[in-house]
Amino acid sequence: MERLQKVLAQAGVASRRKSETLIIEGKVKVNGVVVTELGTKVSNSDRVEVEGVQLVKEDYVYYLLYKPRGIISTVDDEKGRKTVLDLFPQVEQRIFPVGRLDYDTSGVIIMTNDGDFSYLMTHPKFGIKKKYIAKVKGIPDREALRKLEKGVDLDDGKTAPAHVKMQTVDKKAGTALIEITIHEGKNRQVRRMFDAIGYPVQKLRRESFGNITTHGLNAGEARELTKHEVKQLRVLAETGKIG
Ligand code: URA
């Protein structure tokens, strides 16, 4: 059983907020009866109509996109910039990105129309790990990296412990490649964490999301996640382990 407004949003009728308005305005019928109660729950066997048109429930779909730099990870952009959705012209379902990557960040991003799955993947309490490779200006020493590991103070609170590993150092260029694994998803978190220790990020790529990597894809390419991968991600969120 699911809440009526969620079912409407899921079917692509309108956003959840707008779906609530449709219900309150008496435009929604369940099994032929007008329903104006927002808490109403419906099951797959209920017949839902909006303004006389019967709802068709979308199948859930799950894609992995290797996001290139220079596109935004929202479904529309007020400035008309290219979005991750532009890379899925053939997909009919109303997919959206699971979490976000900055305009200038590349790497793994999952796209789906399954809101519950998205919640499992993004809420920090489920602890899905995201690994990033950051190229930073300057060469942080062990002490600086330890600060990131322990957590740094940002405007919106202290970051949770992270796993941090120096990958390579380019002494001539004065830069370093550092691997950092976090399970939170604060806005621009990795960039702000490195800013906080005085080593600004020049380039950022999300290497993995749970057990999913961009392996086999070029930037800008996408593929469907297998049923097995989706199941593994769910198990990972629910138990902290790959089943
Ligand atoms: N952290 C960032 O700073 N940017 C991203 O895109 C993702 C994580």
Side-chain angles (χ1 to χ4, degrees):
M1 299 283 273
E2 299 218 88
R3 289 162 79 84
L4 187 53
Q5 56 267 43
K6 186 173 170 190
V7 172
L8 297 185
Q10 182 64 58
V13 170
S15 67
R16 214 177 283 191
R17 177 83 48 85
K18 210 131 175 246
S19 298
E20 290 177 356
T21 310
L22 289 170
I23 296 168
I24 293 166
E25 287 174 347
K27 293 185 173 154
V28 181
K29 281 185 186 169
V30 177
N31 302 323
V33 179
V34 172
V35 167
T36 52
E37 186 73 43
L38 285 182
T40 305
K41 292 202 166 174
V42 291
S43 74
N44 271 341
S45 58
D46 288 314
R47 187 165 46 84
V48 179
E49 282 168 66
V50 181
E51 297 178 314
V53 179
Q54 192 172 337
L55 228 70
V56 183
K57 203 161 182 251
E58 282 188 346
D59 288 335
Y60 287 136
V61 288
Y62 308 86
Y63 291 90
L64 157 63
L65 168 66
Y66 184 165
K67 178 191 171 298
R69 261 176 274 282
I71 63 167
I72 61 162
S73 60
T74 51
V75 290
D76 53 54
D77 180 46
E78 74 283 0
K79 294 187 199 148
R81 288 175 298 183
K82 192 168 176 182
T83 79
V84 283
L85 262 197
D86 293 326
L87 299 174
F88 292 87
Q90 77 291 4
V91 174
E92 288 167 3
Q93 289 87 350
R94 286 167 46 104
I95 55 173
F96 55 85
V98 171
R100 285 192 180 185
L101 286 180
D102 301 332
Y103 182 78
D104 280 331
T105 303
S106 63
V108 179
I109 193 158
I110 291 173
M111 304 280 297
T112 184
N113 56 347
D114 181 346
D116 290 338
F117 176 80
S118 178
Y119 178 70
L120 270 182
M121 294 303 113
T122 51
H123 196 292
K125 75 179 174 188
F126 299 113
I128 293 280
K129 293 193 177 111
K130 292 113 193 169
K131 190 199 283 181
Y132 295 86
I133 309 292
K135 180 180 176 195
V136 303
K137 185 166 186 300
I139 300 170
D141 58 14
R142 191 61 231 144
E143 195 45 45
L145 297 185
R146 201 163 291 137
K147 284 188 194 151
L148 294 180
E149 279 174 346
K150 285 207 259 171
V152 289
D153 284 316
L154 303 179
D155 295 347
D156 47 355
K158 190 172 176 188
T159 60
H163 185 260
V164 183
K165 201 168 138 197
M166 179 69 85
Q167 274 199 340
T168 53
V169 165
D170 183 339
K171 281 202 178 132
K172 214 161 143 212
T175 58
L177 273 190
I178 297 162
E179 183 184 301
I180 176 165
T181 306
I182 59 175
H183 69 269
E184 302 165 292
K186 294 176 192 287
N187 190 28
R188 298 178 69 81
Q189 179 164 342
V190 173
R191 293 176 197 272
R192 290 191 294 139
M193 286 173 80
F194 278 100
D195 280 342
I197 61 161
Y199 296 89
V201 170
Q202 291 183 334
K203 229 173 175 187
L204 189 62
R205 192 165 75 85
R206 181 149 72 188
E207 177 90 345
S208 61
F209 186 105
N211 55 324
I212 304 297
T213 70
T214 54
H215 185 75
L217 295 179
N218 294 312
E221 289 179 348
R223 68 166 174 87
E224 261 193 271
L225 288 177
T226 65
K227 282 201 168 67
H228 184 64
E229 286 171 325
V230 174
K231 177 90 189 296
Q232 279 189 322
L233 281 168
R234 277 190 210 284
V235 171
L236 194 57
E238 282 157 2
T239 68
K241 291 186 243 133
I242 296 279

